[in-house]
Amino acid sequence: MEFFRIIDKQVTEEVIQMSINPENLEKFTDSMFFLEENYNNFKGGTLWGEFNISYDKINGGVRFTLLDCPNALSWTITTGFSPEKTKIVIHCTINRTKKPTEFIEEINDFLDEWESGLISQF
């Protein structure tokens, strides 16, 4: 399943990459927090529990992936590409075609929180 948020803010890839990192998640979201470094990844808490999380600077911005999540939850925060080249795009995916409504609502709440954080920080 795919989820999108389009944020009407203009920033560069470099600003996204400099501003969003594991150590400052609390600036962007209340439900996610940094616990400890874990090689190239980190241990973090989410509303679904603690996970090993990968953080990567990618073309256009950053990507987070919950490495031991059974739904393979992953999201990117990017700019410069479709569907809105001049805005910030949050794109989230899970490896399922159907999930209970409650879980979908939790994902939407999670993305709403990121959207609010990005609007307030940028």
Side-chain angles (χ1 to χ4, degrees):
M1 298 180 79
E2 285 186 286
F3 307 85
F4 286 92
R5 293 291 185 284
I6 308 298
I7 301 156
D8 193 10
K9 294 284 186 170
Q10 295 182 340
V11 297
T12 64
E13 169 185 326
E14 294 78 19
V15 167
I16 290 173
Q17 291 174 345
M18 287 187 318
S19 302
I20 303 170
N21 61 65
E23 291 84 9
N24 71 359
L25 294 170
E26 72 281 350
K27 289 182 178 180
F28 298 94
T29 175
D30 291 331
S31 65
M32 196 173 167
F33 53 91
F34 174 82
L35 289 171
E36 64 186 39
E37 289 289 330
N38 188 7
Y39 301 105
N40 293 333
N41 303 309
F42 68 100
K43 182 79 132 180
T46 71
L47 64 114
W48 300 286
E50 292 181 10
F51 291 93
N52 291 306
I53 303 171
S54 73
Y55 164 80
D56 300 291
K57 292 181 180 179
I58 60 170
N59 193 8
V62 297
R63 175 180 51 226
F64 292 91
T65 302
L66 304 182
L67 296 172
D68 37 4
C69 172
N71 298 295
L73 182 73
S74 182
W75 68 101
T76 61
I77 301 166
T78 59
T79 192
F81 298 99
S82 296
E84 293 284 346
K85 291 184 178 186
T86 62
K87 298 178 183 178
I88 298 172
V89 176
I90 304 173
H91 177 230
C92 178
T93 61
I94 60 172
N95 63 353
R96 305 282 189 257
T97 57
K98 290 185 180 183
K99 287 302 281 183
T101 302
E102 180 181 318
F103 184 63
I104 300 304
E105 289 171 358
E106 289 174 351
I107 291 174
N108 281 315
D109 290 346
F110 180 71
L111 296 177
D112 289 346
E113 199 174 285
W114 268 100
E115 180 177 8
S116 294
L118 290 165
I119 288 169
S120 72
Q121 292 300 309
F122 297 127

